[in-house]
Amino acid sequence: MSSRVPDAIYDEVRTLRTDLEDANYRYYVEDDPAIPDIEYDRMLRRLQEIEADYPELVTADSPTQRVGAPPAEGFPEVRHSVAMLSLDNAFSDEELRAFVKRVSDKLECADDDLTFCCEPKLDGLAVSLIYENGLFVQGATRGDGRIGEGITANLRTLKSIPLKLRGDSFPELLEVRGEVYMSRSGFERLNEKARDEGSKLFANPRNAAAGSLRQLDPNVAASRPLEFCAYQVARIDDAYLESCHSALMARLRDFGFRSSPELSVVKGSEGIIDFCERMGQRRETLDYDIDGAVLKVDDLRLQRELGFVSRAPRWAIAFKFPAQEQTTVINDVAFQVGRTGRLTPVAKLEPVQVAGVTVSNATLHNMDEIARLDARIGDSVIVRRAGDVIPQIVRVLSEKRPDDAREIVLPEHCPVCGATIEKLSEEVDARCSGGLYCAAQRKEALKHFASRRALDIDGLGDKLIDALVEREWVSTPADLFRLEAAKLAELPRLGEKSAANLVSALERAKRTTLPRFIYALGVPEVGEATANALATHFGSLARLMDASHEELIAIPDIGPVVAAHIATFFQQAHNRESVDDLMAVGVTWSEVEVSAREQPLSGQTWVLTGTLEAMTRDEAKARLVALGAKVSGSVSKKTHAVVAGPGAGSKLAKAEEAGVEILDEATFIDRLKAFENDEGDSAS
Ligand code: IVH
C-alpha cells in the first residue's frame, strides 16, 4: 500500500490495460488471437498484482473487472440469467495446494475430506443451451459473461447437442453449459480441404471452432466438424437436482449430452495434483486440444456455501499446462543442405523457453512455407513445441513487423560448396547441384551410411564425420575403412584408445546384411522398409543393380517414383564405383541367407498407443519395421500386438475387446532386443 503511486506504475498500468484490451478484442471479437494465452495470463496477473498493491488505481473498466468483449453485430443479444463466469488459474502444484487450503479453511474441514470432480479443460468456446419442456430452444455464446450472442441455429447443427432430451421424464427448465470444440482430426481434414481450395487456413482447432460458430449462415457450421461437451448445469428444476456435480453430469448423459470421458472424482490436493499430472501425460494422445484441467468441489451444497469472488467461483480452479506456444523474433535464416542436396531454411530465433526447453531454431521447411507464413527476418512469430515434436513457427505477428524487416531469399549458390541452387518449378524443394562434391551432402551421406540402422558404426558420430570431411581424410564411404588408428589419434578429443576402438568398430561393421547395405547407400526415397523389400525380392545386390524400371515397379509397395530413383542411382558410374570400392575394402554380407530368410516379424501388424518413455514413437516404429512388421494406426482383428504406454485410450480398450496381445513398454523393449539379437546372429 502506498499513498503516492510512482509514475512508472501509472505507465505500466496504462500499457497493460491497452495491451489486454487489444488482446481481448482480437481473441473475442475477431477470433484471431494476437498473443499466446500465457502472455495474456502474465499481463492480467501483473495488473491484478498492481491493483492489489494500489487499490486507488482500480477502475470499473479495467480488464480485471470484466470477462470478455461485447457481442459482434448480426446475432441477437442474449442476457444470461445466471452469469457465465470465468475460472481462476493455477500454474503449479503449490498453487493447487493453496486453492485446496482456501477451500478447506473456509469450510473448516481437512484437505483430504474434500471430494473434487476433475475434468480436462477443453480448448474451445463456452456456450449455454436452454431446454424448455425437453426441447432445445436457445443457444448462446458467453460474450462478456452477462450478455452473449444467440447462435441457436448454428448450435442446432451440432450432432452432439440433443434437440430433444432423451428419456420419459425431464425438467421443465434446463440450462446446460459446456464447450464447443473441434477435434484435431476434424481440424486437419478441414485445413486440408481449405488448402486444396486455396482458401485461408485456420491457425488451430479453437480458432476454427470459433470461426465456424460466428458465421451467420448455419450451413457453414453444419459443414464443420464441431462437437459439444457439457461441463455444468446452470439451472434445473429442483426435482432433478443431485447432491453433487459428478452425479449431475451422469444425469446429463442420460438426457443425451456428452460429458468428458476423462471425468474423475478424487480426494484432496494430492488427488487433484495426480489428476493434473495424468492429464498432462494424456494430452498428446487425445484427439482434441486441452489447455489444462478444471477441478471442482463435487458437493453442490458446499459449492453454494463457498460462493463466488468477483469473476470466478471459489469452488473451482483451472490448472493450466505449461504453454506450448511463445512469442519470439526471427533474427536470421540459415539454409541447411541435406543428404540429397535439399535446402532447408532454418529460422534462427531469439532463444525462448517453450514447455520447459530453450528453443533457438525452428524449421521453415521450404520456400512455399515461408511464403504461406509471410515470414521475414526481424518478424515477431509464435513458436509452438508440442510433445517431442520439433519446434514450428505457427504464425507471424505481422502487426509487430519492424520497418527494417528483410525478405527471406533463396540463395543462388550453395552456402557450403558454392554450386548453383536448382529449383524445378513443379518441385517444392530447392537443391544444391553439387552432389557429392558438396561437403554438406558428403557429410550427410556419410552420417546416414554410419547410422544405427545402416552400417551401425559404433563411435562414429556426427561431429567426427564433420571433422573427417573437413580435413579431407574421407570423402567416400569406402574411405572410412581405410582410416588408420594412428592417424585418427591425431584428431583433437580422440585419444589413442578411442581411435583403436573406432577402427575395430569399422572392422566389425564390414560384416553387414544386404538390407542394411542397400539402405546405407542412401538411394533417394529408399528407406528401411523399401531396402528390406528389395533385398528379399532380389536376394543379391548384383541383381538389384541390374534391375530394369519395369522389374522394379512390379515389386509390391514400390511405385514409379521410387523405381526411377533406384534405376537412376545404379546407372550412375560413380555410385557403381562406390559399391565396388566398398566390396574391395571388405564389406560383405550373406546373400543367400537374406534372400531365403523370413524376418522375425514378417506378416505381423503392430499398433503403438500412449506415451513411450525410453524411446520416441518414431524410433519404436523404425525398429519394428526393421524387423519386418507393419505399424498401423488402428486396432483390428489382424493386429498382432499393441504396445500401450501411459495414457493409452480407445486403442487399448479396442485391443482388450479384440483379445489382441497387449505389451507394456518394458516388455516391448525386451521383445525388441530379443528379436534384434536373433536377427544379428543369423545374418552374420
Ligand atoms: S467450468 C463457473 N469446466 O474454461 C465456471 N469450464 O476459464 C464454469 N472450460 O469459460 C466453467 N473446460 O470455456 C468448466 N470442464 C470444464 C471446462 C471449462 C473448458 C472453459 C470454459 C470456461 C473457461 C474458464
Side-chain angles (χ1 to χ4, degrees):
M1 293 274 172
S2 135
S3 52
R4 162 109 179 83
V5 181
D7 287 347
I9 291 285
Y10 266 125
D11 290 342
E12 190 178 356
V13 164
R14 206 172 304 122
T15 316
L16 283 168
R17 285 186 182 153
T18 335
D19 289 353
L20 282 163
E21 282 301 343
D22 287 345
N24 262 343
Y25 183 79
R26 288 285 298 264
Y27 192 93
Y28 287 103
V29 181
E30 298 197 317
D31 290 328
D32 185 18
I35 54 167
D37 290 355
I38 183 109
E39 184 60 16
Y40 183 90
D41 290 337
R42 190 198 60 75
M43 291 196 294
L44 189 63
R45 282 194 145 203
R46 176 68 189 138
L47 185 58
Q48 280 166 339
E49 277 169 24
I50 300 178
E51 288 181 357
D53 287 344
Y54 304 98
E56 62 270 45
L57 290 185
V58 180
T59 57
D61 64 358
S62 171
T64 57
Q65 306 299 303
R66 61 181 212 126
V67 193
E73 279 174 20
F75 292 110
E77 275 192 3
V78 167
R79 184 170 288 274
H80 299 298
S81 55
V82 178
M84 288 184 81
L85 295 163
S86 182
L87 293 172
D88 273 339
N89 295 323
F91 295 91
S92 64
D93 293 358
E94 285 71 55
E95 291 181 356
L96 286 175
R97 286 197 189 95
F99 158 70
V100 177
K101 182 158 189 325
R102 284 197 299 277
V103 172
S104 57
D105 283 355
K106 193 145 173 78
L107 296 175
E108 294 177 1
C109 67
D111 178 309
D112 50 10
D113 281 345
L114 287 167
T115 304
F116 292 93
C117 182
C118 311
E119 299 158 14
K121 187 169 188 301
L122 299 165
D123 200 5
L125 292 101
V127 298
S128 139
L129 312 174
I130 296 179
Y131 289 78
E132 282 172 6
N133 298 314
L135 292 180
F136 176 46
V137 294
Q138 186 184 75
T141 64
R142 171 167 136 198
D144 66 2
R146 289 180 311 111
I147 297 174
E149 296 163 306
I151 52 164
T152 316
N154 282 343
L155 290 173
R156 282 178 70 93
T157 68
L158 271 66
K159 298 215 173 65
S160 44
I161 294 184
L163 296 178
K164 184 172 173 292
L165 299 180
R166 285 166 66 93
D168 312 322
S169 109
F170 30 72
E172 268 176 40
L173 178 73
L174 172 69
E175 180 174 352
V176 175
R177 289 177 182 173
E179 203 84 347
V180 171
Y181 64 98
M182 195 178 280
S183 67
R184 288 179 182 163
S185 46
F187 166 74
E188 294 298 337
R189 279 197 303 277
L190 185 66
N191 259 0
E192 233 161 71
K193 200 163 145 254
R195 203 174 287 129
D196 287 348
E197 291 166 356
S199 39
K200 204 174 159 226
L201 302 188
F202 289 107
N204 55 47
R206 204 206 78 88
N207 281 16
S212 307
L213 278 188
R214 55 176 43 251
Q215 299 288 328
L216 287 165
D217 176 4
N219 287 310
V220 178
S223 71
R224 303 276 168 87
L226 297 171
E227 289 167 57
F228 174 77
C229 177
Y231 57 61
Q232 199 192 9
V233 172
R235 290 183 291 161
I236 193 167
D237 300 358
D238 282 349
Y240 291 84
L241 197 60
E242 298 278 351
S243 63
C244 58
H245 171 75
S246 50
L248 212 42
M249 288 296 107
R251 167 147 274 172
L252 284 185
R253 273 194 292 280
D254 296 341
F255 288 151
F257 294 96
R258 174 124 44 99
S259 66
S260 174
E262 311 291 334
L263 188 144
S264 164
V265 177
V266 305
K267 288 251 171 231
S269 51
E270 290 317 304
I272 64 176
I273 289 170
D274 235 40
F275 178 83
C276 292
E277 212 172 287
R278 241 180 316 133
M279 282 323 297
Q281 285 165 359
R282 303 257 302 118
R283 185 178 193 187
E284 291 308 320
T285 67
L286 300 171
D287 189 32
Y288 46 87
D289 283 354
I290 62 174
D291 57 351
V294 181
L295 303 320
K296 304 170 182 173
V297 170
D298 200 27
D299 188 318
L300 294 174
R301 197 176 45 81
L302 296 181
Q303 281 193 5
R304 276 190 294 276
E305 202 174 320
L306 287 160
F308 297 83
V309 272
S310 64
R311 61 190 264 276
R314 280 202 196 86
W315 44 263
I317 197 150
F319 176 76
K320 291 286 207 76
F321 293 142
Q324 294 182 309
E325 290 186 0
Q326 285 290 3
T327 313
T328 185
V329 173
I330 302 184
N331 285 334
D332 199 3
V333 171
F335 284 83
Q336 269 176 8
V337 187
R339 174 163 63 85
T340 58
R342 185 168 72 197
L343 244 60
T344 306
V346 178
K348 302 282 156 190
L349 304 170
E350 189 58 39
V352 65
Q353 287 276 321
V354 189
V357 167
T358 306
V359 172
S360 42
N361 293 314
T363 175
L364 284 161
H365 302 287
N366 51 51
M367 296 311 286
D368 284 10
E369 176 69 0
I370 292 176
R372 188 184 75 75
L373 287 166
D374 182 26
R376 315 230 175 125
I377 296 167
D379 267 341
S380 291
V381 291
I382 292 179
V383 280
R384 180 181 173 83
R385 189 186 149 267
D388 50 11
V389 178
I390 40 173
Q392 303 282 332
I393 292 182
V394 189
R395 207 148 33 87
V396 169
L397 303 175
S398 42
E399 66 276 15
K400 287 199 178 177
R401 174 166 292 161
D403 293 339
D404 60 352
R406 280 184 292 133
E407 212 180 309
I408 301 165
V409 278
L410 183 69
E412 282 173 21
H413 297 281
C414 171
V416 177
C417 73
T420 48
I421 297 299
E422 291 167 349
K423 185 174 188 299
L424 302 179
S425 53
E426 71 273 19
E427 271 193 357
V428 178
D429 294 320
R431 285 176 199 278
C432 157
S433 61
L436 289 179
Y437 297 104
C438 173
Q441 292 189 49
R442 225 159 39 220
K443 282 178 185 169
E444 294 311 311
L446 287 165
K447 286 173 194 171
H448 174 78
F449 183 82
S451 66
R452 208 155 69 79
R453 274 167 238 305
L455 257 65
D456 191 17
I457 307 172
D458 217 15
L460 186 60
D462 290 0
K463 291 234 166 67
L464 194 50
I465 291 178
D466 289 345
L468 293 170
V469 172
E470 278 152 25
R471 283 177 171 69
E472 298 185 2
W473 290 359
V474 169
S475 61
T476 71
D479 291 344
L480 290 169
F481 299 100
R482 289 188 273 259
L483 288 167
E484 284 164 13
K487 180 140 190 168
L488 280 170
E490 289 172 24
L491 287 172
R493 286 189 298 278
L494 199 78
E496 265 172 39
K497 186 144 184 286
S498 318
N501 285 345
L502 181 56
V503 171
S504 337
L506 280 159
E507 206 45 46
R508 277 197 307 278
K510 282 184 187 171
R511 296 206 319 176
T512 184
T513 66
L514 182 55
R516 277 178 181 271
F517 186 80
I518 297 172
Y519 173 68
L521 290 175
V523 184
E525 304 293 330
V526 174
E528 266 179 301
T530 309
N532 277 331
L534 292 170
T536 316
H537 183 87
F538 291 104
S540 86
L541 185 68
R543 284 191 53 208
L544 165 64
M545 285 172 73
D546 290 333
S548 65
H549 188 261
E550 287 66 38
E551 238 179 302
L552 287 163
I553 45 176
I555 305 171
D557 297 335
I558 294 192
V561 175
V562 181
H565 277 301
I566 299 169
T568 316
F569 184 90
F570 288 115
Q571 271 156 23
Q572 290 178 350
H574 69 94
N575 288 330
R576 296 183 83 99
E577 274 162 29
S578 184
V579 169
D580 289 346
D581 206 10
L582 280 166
M583 291 166 75
V585 294
V587 175
T588 59
W589 56 89
S590 156
E591 303 201 349
V592 188
E593 227 177 319
V594 168
S595 63
R597 206 184 82 237
E598 275 269 299
Q599 283 185 288
L601 305 183
S602 296
Q604 296 187 6
T605 305
W606 287 57
V607 173
L608 302 167
T609 179
T611 321
L612 296 181
E613 275 144 18
M615 65 180 98
T616 64
R617 225 177 235 236
D618 280 348
E619 191 185 329
K621 190 172 165 184
R623 285 172 74 174
L624 283 168
V625 169
L627 291 166
K630 271 194 170 170
V631 178
S632 160
S634 57
V635 177
S636 75
K637 282 202 199 80
K638 290 193 196 132
T639 309
H640 182 82
V642 171
V643 180
S650 60
K651 287 179 201 168
L652 178 58
K654 210 161 165 203
E656 278 166 355
E657 205 175 287
V660 169
E661 183 184 15
I662 298 164
L663 307 178
D664 63 16
E665 187 175 2
T667 321
F668 170 59
I669 292 174
D670 288 347
R671 195 77 68 87
L672 274 182
K673 281 190 185 146
F675 284 133
E676 286 166 348
N677 287 338
D678 279 357
E679 193 193 25
D681 293 347
S682 57
S684 57

